[in-house]
Amino acid sequence: MRPPDFARMLRRSGGRATPGRLRLMRALWKEPAPVTAARLQKSLGRTLNLATLYRALDALAGVGVVRRVDFRHGHAHYELAAPARAHHHHLACTGCGAVEDVSCTLRPRLKRASAFSAITDHAMEYFGLCKACGARGAERVSRTRTEAME
Amino acid sequence: MRPPDFARMLRRSGGRATPGRLRLMRALWKEPAPVTAARLQKSLGRTLNLATLYRALDALAGVGVVRRVDFRHGHAHYELAAPARAHHHHLACTGCGAVEDVSCTLRPRLKRASAFSAITDHAMEYFGLCKACGARGAERVSRTRTEAME
DNA sequence: AACACAAATGCGAATTATTCGCAATAATGT
DNA sequence: ACATTATTGCGAATAATTCGCATTTGTGTT
């Protein structure tokens, strides 16, 4: 699978296909799991200012190109969303921070939400222990510890 | 439904039933929706130091008494978890920040997660527009704006 | 009822993540 | 080539959350 036409995606979503955002999307495309803004910046060779990066991520998330994920680590993680990337969810190890994708098999079929007119998105993350951590009996690891590990 | 025996819950989870934590849990018990640490502190009359509050929330979340929820607002929200409160999820309005509970009808039945030995928890939030925001055409509200509203 | 000890608290300072203001640049449609 | 407007970089500002440390206080035990 070759990378989608990011330039077109950006323009169609009302934005501009700036070199910065294109590099950002290509970098995200290569990431195997959701990344923090800081790591993303590093993977871009520290070009692209962090504030700019956050603004881009926010804008992209706003039009649904990027997805913001929460692993309860105290900071956000980002990943490409559909259509560049198939809809899916995550399994996050509370021991070491390992993350694994889970295909989204369940169709969240809520009964008509009383006070809502539309459901536009949903987030779902599973938490548990990967085999390694489960084996070593890593019952509970402090959040701080977990963060340090990524 | 009368409030559970928080003192006992605390002790059983390996902690102490200090007046502070008891007040904290009673306050959480009364909240109709997940709250931020700051608001919780305010609802406690600003007694209970904020650092202490965070430590308590973290500890309680660690033993599963409290649940940390992410509405993509840039800060965490907390609520009581089972058994004090039935398992459920949320519907969050991206326009005004309104939150509504959703009973958890779906049984997340993942096929044995390859690299995981145990799934201990999961989080699921739905995002959309409440009727009010949907009507007034509040397509997109900046995250900052949303935060200010809570 | 008095103890011993670890857990919990308060305070203030430190970190971290994320956002802002503003002037300078650059992508797009015409 | 131009005008318009989004985007960028920078440095400073916020906001949320955590830390260090001395002090207090539950709890299980004598």
Side-chain angles (χ1 to χ4, degrees):
Chain A
M1 45 183 139
R2 63 191 62 69
D5 185 343
F6 293 129
R8 191 202 303 218
M9 286 181 62
L10 284 170
R11 294 204 193 84
R12 241 193 324 204
S13 68
R16 289 177 181 177
T18 67
R21 294 193 172 183
L22 285 174
R23 283 189 301 130
L24 161 55
M25 299 196 63
R26 278 194 291 267
L28 269 183
W29 168 259
K30 282 191 237 131
E31 292 292 347
V35 289
T36 63
R39 178 176 285 298
L40 191 50
Q41 188 201 27
K42 194 185 302 177
S43 93
L44 286 172
R46 299 204 177 289
T47 48
L48 204 54
N49 181 273
L50 199 49
T52 301
L53 182 50
Y54 272 113
R55 276 185 294 227
L57 287 172
D58 200 40
L60 292 169
V63 296
V65 172
V66 159
R67 208 159 215 288
R68 186 186 169 132
V69 183
D70 174 56
F71 290 137
R72 297 176 178 166
H73 288 187
H75 49 237
H77 286 240
Y78 301 85
E79 68 175 355
L80 272 191
R85 191 107 165 43
H87 181 64
H88 65 281
H89 295 301
H90 308 96
L91 245 159
C93 177
T94 56
C96 64
V99 170
E100 180 178 315
D101 280 8
V102 180
S103 66
C104 183
T105 53
L106 21 99
R107 297 140 295 162
R109 194 184 305 169
L110 325 181
K111 49 174 178 279
R112 198 118 217 55
S114 60
F116 278 67
S117 63
I119 308 291
T120 55
D121 189 19
H122 67 272
M124 168 148 216
E125 329 302 333
Y126 294 92
F127 297 94
L129 291 174
C130 66
K131 283 195 173 131
C133 286
R136 101 165 67 93
E139 268 314 319
R140 205 162 288 143
V141 179
S142 86
R143 197 184 334 145
T144 315
R145 182 83 181 295
T146 306
E147 300 196 59
M149 291 175 151
E150 65 194 26
Chain B
M1 44 182 141
R2 62 190 64 71
D5 185 343
F6 293 128
R8 190 201 302 218
M9 286 180 62
L10 283 171
R11 294 204 194 84
R12 242 192 325 204
S13 68
R16 290 179 179 176
T18 66
R21 294 192 173 186
L22 285 173
R23 283 188 301 131
L24 162 54
M25 299 197 61
R26 279 194 290 267
L28 268 184
W29 167 260
K30 282 190 237 133
E31 292 293 347
V35 288
T36 63
R39 179 176 284 298
L40 192 49
Q41 188 201 29
K42 195 185 300 176
S43 94
L44 286 173
R46 299 205 177 288
T47 47
L48 205 53
N49 181 274
L50 200 48
T52 301
L53 182 50
Y54 272 112
R55 275 185 292 228
L57 287 172
D58 200 39
L60 292 169
V63 294
V65 173
V66 158
R67 207 162 215 287
R68 187 186 169 130
V69 183
D70 174 56
F71 291 137
R72 297 176 178 167
H73 287 186
H75 49 237
H77 286 241
Y78 300 85
E79 68 175 355
L80 272 191
R85 191 106 166 43
H87 182 65
H88 64 281
H89 295 303
H90 308 95
L91 245 160
C93 177
T94 56
C96 64
V99 171
E100 181 177 317
D101 279 8
V102 181
S103 66
C104 183
T105 52
L106 22 99
R107 297 139 298 162
R109 195 184 304 169
L110 326 180
K111 47 174 177 282
R112 198 117 218 58
S114 61
F116 278 67
S117 65
I119 308 291
T120 55
D121 189 19
H122 67 272
M124 169 149 215
E125 329 302 332
Y126 294 93
F127 297 94
L129 291 175
C130 67
K131 283 194 174 132
C133 287
R136 98 166 71 94
E139 268 316 317
R140 203 163 289 140
V141 179
S142 87
R143 198 183 334 144
T144 316
R145 181 79 182 298
T146 306
E147 302 194 58
M149 289 176 153
E150 67 194 24

